[in-house]
């Protein structure tokens, strides 16, 4: 294995804002070159790209629910960066669909959407990136963004919790199969963290209850999650391959 500590070629899916943006910024600050993927938020993705330190970064827009789109994302990243050393599977959807309030048609649509984006896109990008890493012969890293909801349940977002649990399982299977090639695979399972998308909830009536989920009395910042992703992608984190790292401020404990 010859995975460098910096100067790596990194693809971050769903990096137009929120955690994806924070992850892209963390790698760029580390001296890595980043392919910033977006699905539909082109303007925000451009803002992410413009915020990155260093040079050699690239913007890639494609629909990951299309297998051909996933292939195009990896091909474009490899061509622009000259290869790929790290994949961060961050792209995801989280649509509210509590069973008692959701029609069957809406239920089916929600599940199909979650599976397509959260699970299948992650699996497809992982296959495509890992095959490139194998061909390069220098090892690599895949880091999946999972969720605390995979363990504690998501009554209003059941497909989200289920697909994130599947992402954790996928990561562990790939960790075993890709280790002989020097490719480490790990997942993070964040609890609630502050982004633009959840700002109204944090600022609204339920904000205090959300912060009280952690004994620290707050939610995480995206930078805290990004720092863990950066470490899991580092050369020194090889022995953590297969891990699911809880990042929830002691809001949900398991053993």
């Amino acid at each position: 294995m010859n995975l460098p500590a910096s100067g790596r070629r990194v693809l971050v899916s769903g990096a137009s804002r929120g955690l994806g943006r924070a992850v892209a910024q963390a790698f760029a600050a580390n001296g890595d070159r980043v392919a910033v993927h977006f699905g539909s938020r082109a303007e925000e993705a451009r803002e992410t790209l413009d915020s990155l330190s260093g040079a050699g970064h690239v913007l890639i827009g494609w629909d990951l629910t299309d297998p051909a789109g996933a292939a195009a994302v990896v091909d474009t990243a490899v061509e622009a960066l000259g290869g790929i050393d790290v994949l961060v599977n961050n792209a995801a959807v989280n649509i509210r669909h509590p069973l008692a309030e959701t029609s069957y048609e809406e239920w089916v649509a929600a599940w199909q959407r979650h599976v397509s984006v959260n699970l299948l896109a992650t699996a497809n990008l992982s296959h495509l990136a890992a095959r490139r890493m194998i061909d390069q012969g220098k090892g690599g890293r895949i880091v999946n963004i999972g969720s605390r909801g995979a363990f504690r349940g998501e009554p209003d977002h059941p497909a989200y919790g289920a697909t994130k649990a599947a992402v954790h399982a996928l990561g562990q299977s790939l960790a075993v199969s890709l280790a002989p090639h020097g490719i480490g695979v790990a997942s993070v399972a964040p609890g609630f963290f502050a982004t633009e998308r959840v700002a109204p909830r944090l600022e609204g009536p339920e904000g205090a209850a959300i912060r009280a989920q952690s004994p620290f009395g707050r939610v995480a910042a995206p930078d805290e999650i990004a720092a863990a992703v950066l470490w899991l992608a580092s050369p020194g984190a090889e022995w953590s391959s297969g891990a699911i790292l809880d990042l929830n401020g002691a809001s949900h404990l398991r053993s």
Side-chain angles (χ1 to χ4, degrees):
M1 188 194 70
N2 189 27
L3 182 69
S6 63
R8 296 167 297 184
R9 291 81 55 94
V10 182
L11 169 60
V12 182
S13 70
S16 60
R17 62 176 186 168
L19 178 57
R21 176 178 290 178
V23 168
Q25 290 170 336
F27 279 102
N30 186 62
D32 301 311
R33 289 182 293 139
V34 183
V36 175
H37 163 264
F38 70 94
S40 59
R41 300 180 181 276
E43 183 175 344
E44 289 171 306
R46 172 61 63 180
E47 292 174 2
T48 296
L49 186 71
D50 292 343
S51 75
L52 301 184
S53 57
H57 312 299
V58 62
L59 195 63
I60 304 175
W62 233 289
D63 180 8
L64 295 180
T65 63
D66 179 3
V73 168
V74 174
D75 288 346
T76 304
V78 168
E79 181 178 357
L81 302 177
I84 183 168
D85 302 303
V86 178
L87 167 66
V88 180
N89 283 306
N90 175 70
V93 297
N94 189 2
I95 305 166
R96 187 176 184 274
H97 56 286
L99 190 150
E101 303 172 19
T102 305
S103 71
Y104 182 63
E105 291 76 17
E106 293 171 327
W107 177 266
V108 169
W111 275 88
Q112 290 176 334
R113 180 66 176 163
H114 282 81
V115 170
S116 294
V117 178
N118 297 5
L119 179 56
L120 294 181
T122 295
N124 293 342
L125 287 178
S126 296
H127 178 279
L128 293 158
R131 290 301 297 266
R132 295 283 191 163
M133 294 174 190
I134 291 170
D135 292 342
Q136 291 167 181
K138 296 182 179 180
R141 294 287 183 271
I142 298 174
V143 183
N144 298 320
I145 308 300
S147 174
R148 173 187 69 176
F151 306 113
R152 72 166 199 163
E154 292 286 351
D156 291 340
H157 307 260
Y160 180 79
T163 52
K164 288 300 187 178
V167 165
H168 294 167
L170 170 65
Q172 292 187 317
S173 295
L174 295 182
V176 177
S177 67
L178 295 177
H181 303 282
I183 300 171
V185 186
S187 302
V188 296
F192 210 102
F193 57 91
T195 64
E196 303 93 326
R197 181 178 60 83
V198 300
R201 295 181 63 189
L202 289 173
E203 296 166 2
E206 62 178 326
I210 292 172
R211 288 185 285 273
Q213 292 174 5
S214 166
F216 288 100
R218 66 176 181 89
V219 300
D223 291 351
E224 293 176 290
I225 313 302
V229 173
L230 183 65
W231 180 78
L232 287 172
S234 70
E238 181 174 87
W239 217 238
S240 67
S241 189
I244 303 169
L245 180 59
D246 290 324
L247 298 169
N248 63 50
S251 64
H252 181 78
L253 304 178
R254 63 190 180 96
S255 59

